[in-house]
Amino acid sequence: MMETFSFNTDTHGHKDWRIIKNNKSEEGYAYNSFTLQLESLNVSGGSRYAAFFSILVSYVFIIAANIGVSVLVFLEKSLHLPMYLLLCSLSANDILGNSVVLPRVLLDVLQPPTDRLIGYYECVLQAFIIHMFNTTCHTVLMAMAFDRYVAIGNPLRYSAIMTNRMVMKLTVGAWGAALILVGILLGLTVRLSRCRTFMRSVYCNNASLFLLSCEDVFINNVYGLTFTVVLFTASIGSMVVTYTKITVVCLTSKSATLNRRALKTCSTHLLVYLIMFLSGMIVIILQRFPQYAEEKKVTAILFHIVPGALNPVIYGMQSKEIQKYFSRMFYSNKVLMSP
């Protein structure tokens, strides 16, 4: 089969090229193009509007619930505790991650496939924030696991250990580690030239970006795999060690009050972690099965929606302090409205 290459130069001086086979051009090939195309969700007709409405309602709820929890913690002095301050960090991460992903998905759902275009630098920024979101989900929950262990394992020294300074160190460490790991990840990708413009994904991510290149991406694959293994090993390992130690403390303790407190606070944290972990694992597993491309895109969106929506609800329902605050507020409003 004869293959020829045609080159064109656009108004900015960038060379575009197409592969020509049997006098037919294959669309989607361009040398270092600054305009990329996302496949996004393949929905049409009534399904398009149903998907749009569902994602929109989810996004509004996520933003309202997480902002509400953060404002509540900030205003209520009784909630100025390490657990709730770390919860604010988790809420900030949910707000940031979903604000980058969902508005773009909403826009693309209403657009025809050929109009789902995104600038290269916008795509890189989106991929960076998305990977920051994914990584910080793990690191912040690891910090919260440490807080729970200190609260159960060393209750008498809790105030001395979990000071504001320690909370700041844990927060900076969680976000800083994610920043370094993701910075290297995307740095290895942006160094590559691009020969394609079409991405088979619902939003920009590192894999979809480096697959646009015709260069050798061996280093990208190795670092990406190492990144994932290190993050998941550290995340799972910290949870196993933390909850093993908490279990030992509870089994050796004769305090029913301590055991009830451990069960209530730790079950909340563990449930949030399991939801995040299982959502991420489903996305990773589906990547190994190309025939489930649409299912993979849906689960990638749900990875943002499900934890972001459930986190404030779970902590709100399980937190005695938050329940007390809303009870006082409801009682005050009831008194004011009574004749």
Side-chain angles (χ1 to χ4, degrees):
M1 180 182 295
M2 288 293 294
E3 292 188 1
T4 60
F5 298 85
S6 65
F7 292 86
N8 295 307
T9 304
D10 61 17
T11 56
H12 299 287
H14 301 117
K15 289 184 177 180
D16 289 343
W17 60 275
R18 298 181 185 276
I19 299 178
I20 309 298
K21 295 183 178 181
N22 291 337
N23 297 322
K24 294 182 179 180
S25 68
E26 291 186 355
E27 300 295 334
Y29 285 82
Y31 182 76
N32 283 347
S33 172
F34 284 90
T35 301
L36 308 176
Q37 182 181 357
L38 284 165
E39 185 177 39
S40 196
L41 293 174
N42 292 324
V43 289
S44 59
S47 300
R48 174 184 302 176
Y49 298 104
F52 178 87
F53 180 75
S54 299
I55 296 172
L56 178 61
V57 170
S58 300
Y59 176 62
V60 171
F61 177 80
I62 289 169
I63 299 302
N66 282 284
I67 290 179
V69 168
S70 299
V71 171
L72 174 59
V73 172
F74 178 77
L75 295 178
E76 182 63 23
K77 291 185 179 180
S78 65
L79 297 178
H80 292 180
L81 302 172
M83 180 176 71
Y84 296 112
L85 295 176
L86 291 172
L87 176 60
C88 287
S89 187
L90 191 64
S91 292
N93 189 49
D94 286 332
I95 292 169
L96 179 63
N98 282 282
S99 294
V100 169
V101 171
L102 299 186
R104 179 73 208 191
V105 174
L106 287 170
L107 177 64
D108 288 341
V109 164
L110 298 179
Q111 298 273 13
T114 54
D115 292 340
R116 295 170 181 173
L117 305 177
I118 185 171
Y120 173 70
Y121 293 116
E122 180 186 351
C123 189
V124 171
L125 178 61
Q126 186 187 66
F128 177 81
I129 295 176
I130 286 171
H131 285 285
M132 277 291 296
F133 166 80
N134 296 341
T135 308
T136 308
C137 282
H138 288 271
T139 55
V140 170
L141 286 170
M142 289 164 63
M144 295 176 78
F146 174 76
D147 171 71
R148 290 300 82 205
Y149 169 67
V150 176
I152 303 302
N154 296 279
L156 299 178
R157 299 187 60 229
Y158 180 76
S159 298
I161 297 174
M162 293 303 298
T163 60
N164 290 337
R165 184 181 180 86
M166 176 58 75
V167 173
M168 181 61 67
K169 285 182 178 180
L170 290 172
T171 303
V172 171
W175 287 83
L179 181 64
I180 293 171
L181 291 171
V182 176
I184 297 173
L185 185 74
L186 269 297
L188 290 173
T189 296
V190 297
R191 70 186 174 86
L192 300 170
S193 61
R194 304 176 302 283
C195 63
R196 303 180 183 90
T197 60
F198 184 71
M199 294 182 290
R200 296 187 180 279
S201 58
V202 70
Y203 49 70
C204 296
N205 55 58
N206 182 62
S208 63
L209 276 170
F210 74 67
L211 288 176
L212 296 176
S213 177
C214 291
E215 297 182 30
D216 183 9
V217 294
F218 176 76
I219 295 177
N220 298 73
N221 281 314
V222 169
Y223 181 79
L225 180 60
T226 304
F227 178 116
T228 304
V229 170
V230 169
L231 180 63
F232 274 75
T233 300
S235 177
I236 297 172
S238 67
M239 295 299 158
V240 170
V241 171
T242 298
Y243 281 100
T244 299
K245 290 185 175 181
I246 289 175
T247 302
V248 171
V249 170
C250 292
L251 291 177
T252 56
S253 172
K254 297 180 180 180
S255 172
T257 302
L258 176 65
N259 291 342
R260 283 196 302 269
R261 180 186 174 193
L263 179 62
K264 185 172 183 179
T265 60
C266 293
S267 61
T268 302
H269 173 264
L270 189 59
L271 179 60
V272 169
Y273 178 80
L274 288 175
I275 290 172
M276 181 275 298
F277 179 79
L278 292 176
S279 300
M281 285 302 299
I282 291 173
V283 175
I284 293 174
I285 292 171
L286 286 178
Q287 287 179 346
R288 303 293 181 267
F289 300 94
Q291 66 270 29
Y292 298 114
E294 287 305 307
E295 288 80 358
K296 183 185 74 173
K297 287 187 285 187
V298 172
T299 55
I301 296 174
L302 291 178
F303 174 74
H304 289 261
I305 290 177
V306 174
L310 291 182
N311 290 348
V313 173
I314 292 171
Y315 273 97
M317 292 178 63
Q318 290 292 322
S319 169
K320 184 182 295 183
E321 288 81 2
I322 292 178
Q323 290 175 3
K324 285 181 179 179
Y325 175 83
F326 280 111
S327 296
R328 291 198 307 268
M329 186 174 64
F330 176 77
Y331 178 76
S332 299
N333 291 336
K334 187 177 181 180
V335 170
L336 290 173
M337 294 176 65
S338 62

